[in-house]
Amino acid sequence: LRNIRTTEEVDPGVVEGTDLRVLKYPHPALRVPNEEIPMEELTGPGSEISKIAKEMFLVMYATQGVGLAAPQVGINKRLMVYNESGDPKKWMSETVMINPKIVEFSEAKDVEQEGCLSFPDMGGDVERSKWIKVEAQNLKGKKMKKKFKGWEARIFQHEYDHLDGTVYIDRLTEEGKDKVQPRLDELVSDFGEGGVL
């Protein structure tokens, strides 16, 4: 997720310290099911998952993002990272969530404009729950429960959608979708064969 109001869009190309890249729509990895991460893959620092999470933060910051889901970098696992500030200096706000689940959400909704790192040069209004309750695991496999509200709830819901193969354009109104359709057509054309809408 990108904060459309406060950040310029950046396509960093090669990101120092990682081979991961943000995949652009309609890359098939954005639509396939994502596997739960088994406990044995979460052996703390030095594990493959903690290395992936660390590199995902590098990519997220390089693209001026506030959240990134593993399928966006071609890893079809239920893993997301975010930092609501989007500021690498505020690393204490970095959150890694493994196998997250939404266990409760508010009936009350709000609508805000969202942008997505996998959909460059576009955005749209998306309705989301105002608050959610979440269960997940951290990098050591420890279970956590959290309640998110406002901006943080929106970041989580956007990234969580990616883990279910849902992208934010799926949540746009007909009018919103019509507005971005020319840009979507460009992305599909740029991608070439093998894209999954």
Side-chain angles (χ1 to χ4, degrees):
L1 178 69
R2 188 171 57 81
N3 188 345
I4 270 191
R5 289 182 182 157
T6 59
T7 56
E8 293 275 320
E9 193 152 304
V10 176
D11 183 351
V14 174
V15 178
E16 199 177 323
T18 179
D19 292 329
L20 299 179
R21 303 281 171 276
V22 174
L23 303 179
K24 293 185 176 67
Y25 179 83
H27 195 289
L30 297 171
R31 290 298 198 183
V32 300
N34 293 286
E35 296 168 13
E36 290 237 331
I37 297 169
M39 191 65 185
E40 53 271 20
E41 284 186 42
L42 303 177
T43 49
S47 79
E48 185 63 13
I49 296 298
S50 65
K51 179 180 177 289
I52 290 167
K54 196 172 171 188
E55 291 186 24
M56 282 172 65
F57 277 118
L58 291 178
V59 172
M60 185 191 89
Y61 292 132
T63 51
Q64 303 280 316
V66 291
L68 189 65
Q72 289 182 274
V73 290
I75 296 166
N76 288 110
K77 293 181 182 286
R78 296 187 74 81
L79 162 68
M80 65 164 81
V81 303
Y82 69 90
N83 177 344
E84 64 175 316
S85 74
D87 182 352
K89 292 187 190 78
K90 295 185 177 163
W91 55 270
M92 291 293 286
S93 300
E94 290 182 354
T95 302
V96 177
M97 294 197 130
I98 290 154
N99 304 329
K101 290 181 179 67
I102 295 175
V103 292
E104 205 181 323
F105 56 89
S106 67
E107 292 298 318
K109 314 264 192 212
D110 59 13
V111 174
E112 290 254 358
Q113 191 161 83
E114 290 184 15
C116 178
L117 304 177
S118 295
F119 291 81
D121 304 315
M122 56 180 278
D125 287 341
V126 180
E127 185 180 81
R128 304 269 186 200
S129 290
K130 285 188 170 186
W131 61 259
I132 49 169
K133 286 185 181 171
V134 172
E135 289 178 1
Q137 290 165 279
N138 68 12
L139 281 170
K140 294 195 169 83
K142 189 167 182 273
K143 287 196 169 149
M144 57 167 127
K145 287 182 180 181
K146 280 187 118 168
K147 182 176 179 176
F148 297 121
K149 49 187 193 290
W151 175 232
E152 211 174 355
R154 179 166 293 274
I155 298 171
F156 180 91
Q157 289 170 86
H158 180 107
E159 302 312 331
Y160 185 82
D161 271 355
H162 279 297
L163 302 185
D164 286 341
T166 299
V167 288
Y168 90 105
I169 56 165
D170 301 340
R171 298 194 179 276
L172 296 178
T173 60
E174 282 304 310
E175 187 189 351
K177 196 117 187 231
D178 288 346
K179 266 189 204 162
V180 297
Q181 195 59 54
R183 178 62 185 134
L184 288 177
D185 294 342
E186 279 175 17
L187 288 170
V188 169
S189 168
D190 290 350
F191 188 83
E193 283 180 35
V196 178
L197 310 184

